[in-house]
Every structure is written in C-alpha cells, then in structure tokens.
Amino acid sequence: MTAQIDINADLGEDPLAEARDIALMAHISSCNIACGGHAGDAGSMARMLRAARDAGVAAGAHPSYPDRAGFGRTSLDMPLPALIDSLIVQVTELARVAADLGVALTHIKPHGMLYNDLADRVEMAEAVADALHRAFPRLALVGLAHGAFESAAAKAGARFIAEGFVDRGYTPTRRLVPRSQPGALIAGDDARAAQALAIATGQPLTADDGSLIHVMAQSLCLHSDSPGSEQTALRIAEVMASKGISIKAPGEPPDDPADLLRR
C-alpha cells in the first residue's frame, strides 16, 4: 500500500481572509469549517463548502465553545449538557448548509481551547465523543494524537483521525506548546515541512525541552493564519512527493503505484 497523509486546515474563521482560505484549498486534502461557535455564519459556511467541493477537498465541521468574543480560545465553565447541545447545534447548522449544496461532510474537529480540553479532560472527552457520535454516526472525530479524545472516540465506537501539527511546537508530553510561550510557533517553510515529514514517516520530533518524542498521526494541520501558509503547503507537497507519499483525505484510496511512476 502506498503511503499517504492528510493535510488539513481550519477555514472560514476570518471574513477578511476568505480569498486566502480558498487559495489554500488547492494544496490541502481536507478542511475544517467554522460553524458559528467561535466564527462563521451561514454565508461563510456556504462559500467554504462550495470551494471545498470545487477543489475536491473533504469538508468537516469545526465547532467550539460558544465564544465568538474570545474566538474560542478560553475554557468556558459551562455544564457538559449545555456544551454538548451547543456543539450539536453548530454541526447541524453546517450539515444543513452542506445538504443544500450537495456536499457530504466527513468529520468533526473541535476548535481552540475546546480541542485542548478534550485532549486532557477524560470525563469531558468521553461525554462529547459519545454525544457527537450518537448525533452524527457517519462523521469521524478529529483530535490531538495521543490525547483523551482519541481513547474516548474508541470507547464510543467512533472513527477517530489522530492529528499532528506542522506549524506548532510540542511539549515532552506530546501536547502543543501554549501560544504564549517561546517555541509555540514554527516559522519557515523548510522547518514546517521537516516536521510534517517526520510525523508522516514516524520519525522523532524535538520537544521544547530538547527531548525526542514520536507523534503518530493520520492528518497534519497547517493553520491557515500562519504567515506564508500557502507557500508552506506547496513545500510540504514537494517534500511528500519526493518521498512517494500521497496527500489524501483519510478514507480516500491510495494511489495505484503505477500512477506514481507516471508522475
């Protein structure tokens, strides 16, 4: 079987950057569309879904804590049932717009601090994974590789897509370095592409304390608002192609080996 990796990006979060988001779709295989919790509205959802459809990019929901003022970057102290209700409403709204456009959603990836909380809070992760899988049984759940959400998805019987990051630093516990700390962001196309290749091929990464870690992931996130994200995506594509690694959404069939020989 030919090696492959998914490259994803979070899109539809900034109305002033939609042209960038649409351009980036030429270089990724899946996308996560903001659906109202931290950003996005019916119009932006429709525009992102159309662009994903036209580019052949797998589209998923990107729900968050209901926190538009804080862009979903703060943990909200809210009852789990209320949080779950909000997440289901957000994903349902995107699914409604997608159905109108004839686009089949493929996955759900939480956003921001909710994403981090689901990686670390077992009780929350289990409740959210179970609820989302019951509400949307055909959609895969996406989350941080080696986090609580991964085991929670397995417990719920949901398909899980483990995610790594090409433009963020890691701690020794395989968590992301907080954005407020040194080493949180990886700058430069070559450094980002090197991290992408390391994760895709199971090679070690250097954590922020200098130790070596392994991140086992099926999908790699490139933040659309990272400076130079489109050029980074091109560089990653070049590096992956040089190693015979296809960029495909999870679940897509691998390339026929003969196709690689014809490239």
Side-chain angles (χ1 to χ4, degrees):
M1 181 179 289
T2 305
Q4 64 186 65
I5 194 74
D6 175 50
I7 306 294
N8 79 77
D10 306 333
L11 306 179
E13 297 178 317
D14 181 354
L16 300 179
E18 288 190 355
R20 175 205 65 199
D21 287 357
I22 292 171
L24 188 58
M25 286 202 206
H27 312 296
I28 60 177
S29 44
S30 66
C31 68
N32 321 298
I33 299 172
C35 43
H38 67 291
D41 56 27
S44 64
M45 291 181 218
R47 290 187 291 275
M48 292 299 105
L49 285 164
R50 288 191 195 97
R53 179 190 61 195
D54 294 346
V57 170
H62 197 38
S64 77
Y65 281 119
D67 175 30
R68 293 181 73 90
F71 199 67
R73 288 182 172 167
T74 302
S75 295
L76 296 188
D77 184 13
M78 60 188 300
L80 264 175
L83 171 62
I84 287 168
D85 285 347
S86 175
L87 298 178
I88 290 175
V89 167
Q90 291 175 53
V91 178
T92 298
E93 177 61 15
L94 182 69
R96 182 191 65 77
V97 178
D100 288 345
L101 295 172
V103 177
L105 299 182
T106 60
H107 62 277
I108 302 169
K109 174 188 167 180
H111 163 81
M113 190 54 69
L114 177 62
Y115 182 98
N116 292 333
D117 287 346
L118 290 172
D120 291 326
R121 300 184 184 181
V122 174
E123 182 180 354
M124 173 189 279
E126 290 183 350
V128 170
D130 183 70
L132 289 178
H133 182 55
R134 287 176 183 273
F136 309 101
R138 297 180 64 242
L139 302 186
L141 302 180
V142 181
L144 188 69
H146 314 290
F149 201 40
E150 182 168 6
S151 54
K155 184 175 180 179
R159 179 176 170 230
F160 186 78
I161 299 170
E163 183 179 44
F165 288 79
V166 307
D167 51 11
R168 293 292 304 278
Y170 279 88
T171 71
T173 59
R174 297 185 290 196
R175 297 296 185 264
L176 300 180
V177 177
R179 287 179 179 269
S180 60
Q181 296 182 10
L185 304 178
I186 295 175
D189 298 340
D190 289 342
R192 293 171 181 171
Q195 179 146 309
L197 182 63
I199 296 174
T201 57
Q203 298 302 306
L205 307 180
T206 302
D208 65 340
D209 69 345
S211 63
L212 295 180
I213 60 171
H214 285 82
V215 175
M216 309 304 293
Q218 303 158 273
S219 183
L220 302 175
C221 179
L222 171 63
H223 287 100
S224 60
D225 59 357
S226 290
S229 58
E230 188 176 354
Q231 289 303 312
T232 295
L234 285 169
R235 181 63 182 139
I236 290 173
E238 292 171 354
V239 169
M240 295 298 176
S242 73
K243 301 297 182 181
I245 300 172
S246 302
I247 295 176
K248 289 182 174 291
E252 286 189 33
D255 288 332
D256 185 314
D259 291 338
L260 291 176
L261 295 176
R262 287 192 285 268
R263 291 179 183 173

